[in-house]
Amino acid sequence: QALATRNSVNNVEVMVMTCDEWVAAGIENAEMVDELSHDLSQSEALLEKAIYCFGQGQNILLVRKARTHLSTIRFRSEVLLVSEKSIQSDLKNTNFDKNDDNQIEVRAAHYMEQLLAENLMFEGKELCLSIMPFLSSYAKEHLQRYMVGGIDLIL
């Protein structure tokens, strides 16, 4: 327990935990996401909790990192929906245009850049694997060899 901390006397719930304790709680939530990488809705809920905790702990860097991670989890959910819908040949209710095959690849590249900047390698690998069905064989081969293979070496 901390000896002295700066707390808001107007919010009793927040007074119970120090900034460091909030950050630690956020880290616990964020770490669980990697264990549940294929349960995207649970991962999204955990990251939302982590963002809240990091915010309470006043750690802007971890808030940004968790938001980046959350945005890619949401993108992977959209990609999964597109994949399921394309099997049924019904793409009407998604954010992707059926005629624009490059849209997923372009958005994924944008998210990958953000993930690498935040050093979120495991999520980067998951993102690569989730977009593979939408890529040409040439792009798949190079993504597998250089991105996924490179990330495997790091992890």
Side-chain angles (χ1 to χ4, degrees):
Q1 206 52 309
L3 295 176
T5 60
R6 180 180 292 179
N7 289 304
S8 169
V9 293
N10 296 326
N11 193 342
V12 177
E13 287 180 16
V14 175
M15 282 180 51
V16 175
M17 295 174 70
T18 66
C19 287
D20 288 343
E21 290 168 330
W22 277 112
V23 169
I27 289 171
E28 287 178 22
N29 283 305
E31 285 179 339
M32 285 190 278
V33 172
D34 287 346
E35 297 170 17
L36 301 169
S37 64
H38 297 292
D39 185 347
L40 298 177
S41 62
Q42 183 68 20
S43 294
E44 187 174 334
L46 287 167
L47 282 169
E48 287 172 350
K49 288 179 187 177
I51 290 167
Y52 175 78
C53 291
F54 295 145
Q56 292 299 315
Q58 301 172 1
N59 192 314
I60 306 303
L61 295 176
L62 290 177
V63 168
R64 187 183 72 214
K65 188 173 207 158
R67 282 187 179 147
T68 298
H69 197 166
L70 179 59
S71 68
T72 60
I73 293 288
R74 288 179 175 158
F75 175 69
R76 286 200 298 133
S77 293
E78 289 181 53
V79 168
L80 182 60
L81 180 63
V82 168
S83 182
E84 291 169 355
K85 294 272 187 180
S86 67
I87 291 170
Q88 302 166 2
S89 299
D90 179 19
L91 295 174
K92 289 183 280 191
N93 297 324
T94 65
N95 292 334
F96 299 105
D97 181 20
K98 186 176 181 180
N99 298 321
D100 189 2
D101 295 337
N102 295 324
Q103 189 175 14
I104 291 174
E105 188 174 350
V106 169
R107 286 184 64 194
H110 171 74
Y111 286 122
M112 183 58 84
E113 182 180 3
Q114 291 178 341
L115 289 170
L116 294 176
E118 294 293 344
N119 202 25
L120 292 167
M121 300 300 172
F122 186 80
E123 178 60 20
K125 178 181 175 180
E126 292 297 318
L127 176 61
C128 288
L129 296 174
S130 69
I131 65 163
M132 289 279 193
F134 300 95
L135 302 176
S136 68
S137 57
Y138 175 82
K140 276 185 204 177
E141 179 185 331
H142 281 76
L143 187 65
Q144 181 67 43
R145 180 182 299 154
Y146 297 113
M147 287 299 292
V148 176
I151 291 171
D152 282 340
L153 290 174
I154 294 170
L155 298 175

